[in-house]
Amino acid sequence: TALWLIIFTWVCGCCGALRPRYKRLVDNIFPEDPEDGLVKANMEKLTFYALSAPEKLDRIGAYLSERLSRDVARHRYGYVCIAMEALDQLLMACHCQSINLFVESFLKMVRKLLESDKPSLQILGTNSFVKFANIEEDTPSYHRSYDFFVSRFSEMCHSSYEDPDIRTKIRMAGIKGLQGVVRKTVNDELQANIWDPQHMDKIVPSLLFNLQSGERTESRSPSPLQASEKEKESPVELTERCFRELLGRAAYGNIKNAITPVLMHLDNHSLWEGKTFAVRCFKIIMYSIQSQHSHLVIQQLLGHLDANSKNSATVRAGIVEVLLEAAAIAASGSVGPTVLEVFNTLLRQLRLSVDYELTGSYDGSTNIGTKIIKAHEERQLQEAVIRTIGSFANTLPTYQRSEVMLFIMGKIPVPGVHLALPSTGSGHEGTRMIQVMLLKSLVQVTAGFQTTNMLTALPSSFLEPLLSFSLTEDPEVRLLVLQILLSLIDRHDNRPKFTNISIISDISVLKLKVDKCSRQDNLFMKKHGQQLYRHIYLGCKEHSSGRQHYETLFALLGLLSVELANEEVVVDLIRLALALQDLALSTDEALPIFNRCAVHALAAAYLNLICQLTTVPAFCQHIHEVIEVRQKESPYLLPEDVFIDNPKLPSSLEKVEGDVLFLQSKITEVLGGSGYNTDRLATPYVPQYTDEDRLSKRKSIGETISLQVEVESRNSPEKEERTPAEEITFETLKNAIVDSVGMEEQERERRRQVVEKFQKAPFEEIAAHCGARATLLQSKLNQIFEITIRPPPSPSGTISSGYGQTQSRSVPIYEMKFPDLCVY
């Protein structure tokens, strides 16, 4: 027995001595008791050997992998941990050209651990992979694949292990693993493209799942204790950091692949309706990506909004709210080159929402047509779209905002002229609602709008159609137009100081910011001033104007006085205020008592303001004297008794005369002494009627003149017998200008019939009608030309036409026969 024992020992010793040195070095790092841990001295020898003979590194890795596989199968987990520690140390120490084959063995062992059902091994394998991911390799790899790791780490992120603590650890390991895969592959073109949809569709939803799993406070800065103890970090915090790192590494061409899974995840889990999580996700996205890529995210959101056009209002509102937040963050970057397309999409959604609200259906859609459309949800969506339009506009420079204002103005439907945004089955009410919504959008776009040159920023192509809407009968539309005008004119934040109409004895308390009127401002008022005065006058004349209208009109007058007023403008504004007083005294307009008192109060408040701005003592004295008389005898002519919740109004206004009125002659006298134009001051203001009145219930003087021309054109100039011309007197002109109720109704009905005809009549009938009108117009032009360009009389006399009519013939001078007395 002793002999056999000696022989066995000798054979083992000889065999051990014959084993390769790298295997002996690997075996020596494992202690007899795994609890003792890695034998550090022998590990240093193994590391030195690997560095001295790098060609053996792949064999060392293969042998370690073999031992680790055997230990895993035998459940000797202590030796498994030692083997992985040895692999990690070798990876950290060796960066030679032969490391690729060693890495293959390493990844094979990590994969073996991740496939295990034991959570501790999964976490061990993940930690080793993360260490490997942080190593910068000297040589590239052409054949390495990380598909398994992406799938396995994503699966770990969704772990449903029974023990909550272990479940949290597994999920955090999965998140760290995904972070490691991204770090290892994102900057290496030879590695697998981590931005491919097959990978992003796994990585992004896994991160969003963990981001959603826990509620976080707004504060993102952990305490020092939490920062030092990484094991106490929550999956939500780790996920957000990983998500930010992923997005921060995204290049221009990869943004779409990273955002698409986010949109799909929010769709699949109905997370748009809550808004909170969706907004939080896109805040992370917008703050993490490079600022010059912000417009790509916004374009994807706009496209997703279009794709959900027939989804519920809450879903669309959620997407719009996200757009609102994204636009505010993108202000530091750029909205992108397709600025008008952004607004076009939002305006299209606004129109669709109005149609859905009025028709109650999604255009008969079969998949979601059974859903009940709730009007209040559509209203919330509309308000969200309007806020988003304003948010986008605030990110734009002045010149682009001017383009957007023109773009929106071109979309507003004008009754009887064109319908730029036709409603499907919603009729007149739909048109009105779209008008209101688009004007509200303009209110948002023009908020805070400031420009040094108003002529270029506010061209006639924008101002003229805007002012034309102030003539409509709808009081809401008129009020919105006035609010837009206030935003455009107010460049020094004076608007809040004119919120309430009141008699202020000393306007210095308002602390108005008044700058000298520039040359551009003078040109602007020279071009558009009369239009503004006219619309203020006609706005006061409307029966449906209420307290808000008069307060806004007062603010408009005040802003004109402090923002755009030179001496000529001041004179015109004073004339306008006196014309308003005359309007309130007139009984021809049949204004209600409230409106007449309101106009009186408005004129008084404004004259009190303008007299203190002009600083002419005699002018101020006259205004204050009239106001004092009104306070004693007629308080209902002052704003304090009119613009309140329960106005104190008289039963009639028959005795408004004498000292309670502002006198034009007196004002002309006192201002004339201070160098103002007395001729202009003495001339009462009369509004100039134009074609814009086609939108209102009034007829214009232009129509009256055209009617007179048509009557005269019936009298052919060739006829020898003419009917006697109608005698035109003052009464005739007055009757032609002043409208009657019957004529208004007839005009309204006629216009309605014309609009209906062009909407419903066949094309052939419309073409024939237009052709007939063109022929009639040509005949009239021929008559005018015959009158104005008649050939000179010819000495050769007249010739007779074939129809028995005499016709003048023009003979060239060289053919004319002159009498002898005429020849020199």
Side-chain angles (χ1 to χ4, degrees):
T1 304
L3 180 62
W4 282 107
L5 181 61
I6 292 171
I7 294 172
F8 177 76
T9 304
W10 179 81
V11 170
C12 290
C14 291
C15 293
L18 294 175
R19 296 181 71 209
R21 186 183 178 190
Y22 74 88
K23 286 190 176 181
R24 284 185 279 120
L25 290 173
V26 169
D27 290 337
N28 290 339
I29 66 174
F30 291 93
E32 293 183 4
D33 186 358
E35 292 184 0
D36 293 340
L38 184 71
V39 180
K40 295 183 179 180
N42 293 336
M43 186 64 214
E44 291 176 359
K45 294 179 182 179
L46 177 62
T47 304
F48 180 77
Y49 176 78
L51 291 172
S52 303
E55 68 277 2
K56 300 292 185 181
L57 188 61
D58 59 327
R59 300 184 184 184
I60 294 172
Y63 184 59
L64 273 170
S65 175
E66 179 185 342
R67 286 204 55 152
L68 189 141
S69 298
R70 185 169 63 246
D71 291 335
V72 169
R74 295 176 181 178
H75 303 289
R76 300 169 65 181
Y77 300 123
Y79 288 119
V80 171
C81 294
I82 292 174
M84 289 307 300
E85 185 179 353
L87 284 169
D88 292 343
Q89 290 191 24
L90 286 173
L91 271 175
M92 299 294 291
C94 303
H95 286 198
C96 60
Q97 294 182 354
S98 303
I99 197 174
N100 276 333
L101 295 176
F102 177 73
V103 169
E104 293 300 325
S105 299
F106 170 78
L107 292 179
K108 181 180 178 182
M109 293 323 305
V110 172
R111 180 169 183 167
K112 189 76 175 178
L113 295 179
L114 292 176
E115 288 175 342
S116 172
D117 294 333
K118 193 172 180 61
S120 59
L121 293 184
Q122 297 176 14
I123 295 171
L124 178 64
T126 302
N127 292 336
S128 294
F129 182 85
V130 171
K131 292 177 183 177
F132 160 70
N134 292 326
I135 295 176
E136 294 185 7
E137 299 181 51
D138 295 337
T139 55
S141 173
Y142 296 90
H143 59 279
R144 199 178 296 161
S145 174
Y146 294 95
D147 293 1
F148 166 78
F149 295 102
V150 172
S151 300
R152 183 56 183 154
F153 289 139
S154 298
E155 184 180 350
M156 291 170 65
C157 288
H158 291 84
S159 174
S160 56
Y161 202 84
E162 294 181 358
D163 189 335
D165 292 335
I166 296 178
R167 181 172 66 242
T168 299
K169 290 180 180 179
I170 294 175
R171 290 185 178 181
M172 291 185 70
I175 297 166
K176 291 177 180 178
L178 290 177
Q179 189 178 31
V181 172
V182 172
R183 287 178 178 176
K184 199 64 182 172
T185 61
V186 73
N187 290 326
D188 192 346
E189 296 180 357
L190 298 174
Q191 304 286 3
N193 189 358
I194 200 67
W195 300 106
D196 286 343
Q198 60 178 344
H199 299 310
M200 284 290 106
D201 290 346
K202 296 174 184 176
I203 295 175
V204 173
S206 301
L207 296 177
L208 294 179
F209 173 78
N210 285 277
L211 193 64
Q212 184 189 359
S213 62
E215 293 294 330
R216 287 190 60 201
T217 59
E218 287 297 324
S219 174
R220 295 178 181 172
S221 56
S223 65
L225 180 64
Q226 290 174 332
S228 62
E229 298 180 3
K230 295 294 183 182
E231 67 275 5
K232 291 187 178 182
E233 188 177 36
S234 70
V236 179
E237 294 169 342
L238 179 62
T239 301
E240 183 173 334
R241 195 170 66 249
C242 180
F243 193 32
R244 288 179 180 275
E245 183 178 344
L246 173 68
L247 295 165
R249 295 173 180 267
Y252 181 88
N254 302 325
I255 293 291
K256 183 177 180 180
N257 289 347
I259 302 302
T260 299
V262 178
L263 300 175
M264 298 303 296
H265 182 82
L266 296 174
D267 286 342
N268 295 335
H269 297 275
S270 302
L271 296 174
W272 292 112
E273 299 179 7
K275 298 179 186 177
T276 306
F277 180 71
V279 169
R280 181 182 167 197
C281 280
F282 276 90
K283 278 188 174 181
I284 293 174
I285 292 171
M286 296 302 293
Y287 280 121
S288 301
I289 63 174
Q290 300 175 45
S291 60
Q292 66 267 27
H293 300 160
S294 297
H295 67 278
L296 297 176
V297 180
I298 291 174
Q299 286 176 359
Q300 275 196 271
L301 281 169
L302 290 169
H304 199 65
L305 180 59
D306 274 340
N308 286 271
S309 292
K310 295 184 179 180
N311 214 326
S312 65
T314 52
V315 171
R316 284 177 284 137
I319 301 174
V320 171
E321 288 287 346
V322 171
L323 269 169
L324 177 64
E325 297 292 337
I329 297 171
S332 59
S334 65
V335 178
T338 56
V339 174
L340 295 183
E341 185 58 32
V342 171
F343 291 93
N344 194 35
T345 300
L346 292 172
L347 295 178
R348 182 165 58 249
Q349 292 300 321
L350 200 59
R351 181 200 65 188
L352 288 173
S353 178
V354 170
D355 289 343
Y356 294 159
E357 179 183 349
L358 294 175
T359 59
S361 66
Y362 297 102
D363 299 331
S365 179
T366 55
N367 55 348
I368 55 174
T370 56
K371 288 187 178 181
I372 300 175
I373 294 179
K374 298 178 181 178
H376 71 279
E377 291 181 354
E378 294 293 343
R379 288 292 177 92
Q380 291 174 357
L381 168 64
Q382 293 158 15
E383 295 299 327
V385 171
I386 291 170
R387 289 197 306 272
T388 305
I389 288 174
S391 180
F392 269 108
N394 289 332
T395 67
L396 301 176
T398 301
Y399 74 95
Q400 278 191 323
R401 199 188 290 201
S402 299
E403 292 179 1
V404 171
M405 288 157 50
L406 278 170
F407 180 74
I408 297 176
M409 179 59 67
K411 295 286 186 180
I412 302 179
V414 180
V417 179
H418 70 280
L419 294 176
L421 284 174
S423 302
T424 55
S426 54
H428 174 72
E429 180 61 20
T431 301
R432 192 198 75 83
M433 285 185 64
I434 293 174
Q435 282 181 337
V436 171
M437 294 301 167
L438 294 182
L439 287 171
K440 284 183 177 180
S441 302
L442 273 177
V443 170
Q444 293 290 326
V445 171
T446 55
F449 181 81
Q450 292 187 356
T451 177
T452 54
N453 191 344
M454 296 189 69
L455 270 176
T456 56
L458 305 174
S460 300
S461 54
F462 174 79
L463 271 182
E464 289 180 0
L466 175 67
L467 292 174
S468 68
F469 280 103
S470 68
L471 302 176
T472 58
E473 297 182 17
D474 192 324
E476 186 176 8
V477 170
R478 296 202 310 274
L479 186 60
L480 290 170
V481 171
L482 290 173
Q483 291 174 354
I484 294 169
L485 285 174
L486 292 182
S487 298
L488 296 175
I489 295 173
D490 183 23
R491 293 173 293 175
H492 298 89
D493 298 324
N494 286 317
R495 180 179 176 180
K497 299 162 187 176
F498 297 112
T499 303
N500 298 318
I501 307 180
S502 60
I503 303 296
I504 302 175
S505 57
D506 184 5
I507 62 169
S508 62
V509 298
L510 296 178
K511 297 180 180 179
L512 297 172
K513 299 177 182 177
V514 184
D515 285 345
K516 186 178 180 180
C517 196
S518 66
R519 179 175 176 271
Q520 289 84 2
D521 292 340
N522 290 335
L523 292 174
F524 177 82
M525 288 305 294
K526 198 172 284 289
K527 185 174 182 180
H528 299 291
Q530 294 302 323
Q531 288 177 292
L532 293 171
Y533 307 148
R534 171 175 172 271
H535 286 80
I536 293 173
Y537 181 88
L538 296 179
C540 293
K541 193 177 178 181
E542 289 290 345
H543 291 217
S544 58
S545 293
R547 176 181 173 181
Q548 277 188 301
H549 293 84
Y550 290 111
E551 289 177 342
T552 314
L553 287 167
F554 173 74
L556 180 57
L557 285 167
L559 288 176
L560 287 175
S561 303
V562 298
E563 297 281 352
L564 300 168
N566 53 27
E567 183 176 324
E568 184 179 345
V569 172
V570 168
V571 169
D572 284 338
L573 288 171
I574 294 171
R575 291 172 60 225
L576 175 61
L578 294 172
L580 291 178
Q581 177 179 259
D582 294 338
L583 171 65
L585 292 172
S586 174
T587 57
D588 295 338
E589 299 295 336
L591 285 175
I593 294 294
F594 170 77
N595 296 71
R596 295 177 65 183
C597 291
V599 174
H600 274 297
L602 171 64
Y606 178 68
L607 286 172
N608 175 68
L609 171 69
I610 195 68
C611 75
Q612 296 184 60
L613 288 173
T614 56
T615 63
V616 177
F619 183 26
C620 295
Q621 182 180 357
H622 173 66
I623 301 300
H624 291 160
E625 287 175 355
V626 174
I627 290 175
E628 289 176 1
V629 174
R630 288 190 179 188
Q631 288 173 342
K632 296 177 182 178
E633 301 179 4
S634 308
Y636 48 82
L637 300 181
L638 295 176
E640 285 77 10
D641 277 20
V642 178
F643 300 112
I644 55 177
D645 294 335
N646 296 312
K648 302 173 182 178
L649 304 178
S651 57
S652 65
L653 287 177
E654 296 178 356
K655 297 182 179 180
V656 179
E657 55 187 7
D659 295 339
V660 297
L661 297 178
F662 302 100
L663 301 179
Q664 185 159 4
S665 58
K666 180 67 174 177
I667 294 174
T668 302
E669 178 186 347
V670 296
L671 288 179
S674 298
Y676 286 86
N677 189 335
T678 55
D679 293 338
R680 193 171 182 84
L681 279 168
T683 306
Y685 171 77
V686 178
Q688 299 176 359
Y689 288 84
T690 67
D691 291 341
E692 292 173 350
D693 282 338
R694 68 180 183 274
L695 296 178
S696 71
K697 58 190 177 182
R698 295 176 290 272
K699 287 181 66 177
S700 68
I701 292 182
E703 292 177 358
T704 307
I705 296 173
S706 65
L707 177 64
Q708 179 182 354
V709 171
E710 185 178 352
V711 170
E712 290 184 356
S713 67
R714 292 198 188 106
N715 304 322
S716 176
E718 285 83 5
K719 294 183 180 180
E720 297 180 1
E721 296 182 2
R722 294 191 177 186
T723 56
E726 181 182 358
E727 183 180 359
I728 299 178
T729 62
F730 174 77
E731 289 297 325
T732 306
L733 291 175
K734 181 179 178 181
N735 293 333
I737 294 173
V738 177
D739 300 323
S740 62
V741 177
M743 291 298 291
E744 291 174 1
E745 293 296 328
Q746 291 177 9
E747 181 67 16
R748 193 180 294 112
E749 179 65 18
R750 183 183 68 80
R751 291 176 183 173
R752 187 192 65 77
Q753 291 175 357
V754 171
V755 173
E756 184 177 1
K757 177 180 179 180
F758 276 88
Q759 287 177 341
K760 298 180 179 180
F763 175 78
E764 292 78 7
E765 183 179 343
I766 296 175
H769 175 72
C770 293
R773 293 188 60 185
T775 305
L776 178 62
L777 175 62
Q778 187 61 44
S779 67
K780 299 299 180 185
L781 289 175
N782 291 337
Q783 292 178 13
I784 295 173
F785 290 150
E786 184 68 24
I787 298 171
T788 57
I789 319 177
R790 178 173 295 171
S794 172
S796 60
T798 60
I799 61 173
S800 177
S801 67
Y803 299 98
Q805 295 179 348
T806 57
Q807 191 173 12
S808 299
R809 184 182 64 176
S810 181
V811 181
I813 295 177
Y814 59 84
E815 291 185 0
M816 290 183 182
K817 295 180 180 180
F818 292 92
D820 293 339
L821 293 177
C822 296
V823 179
Y824 180 69

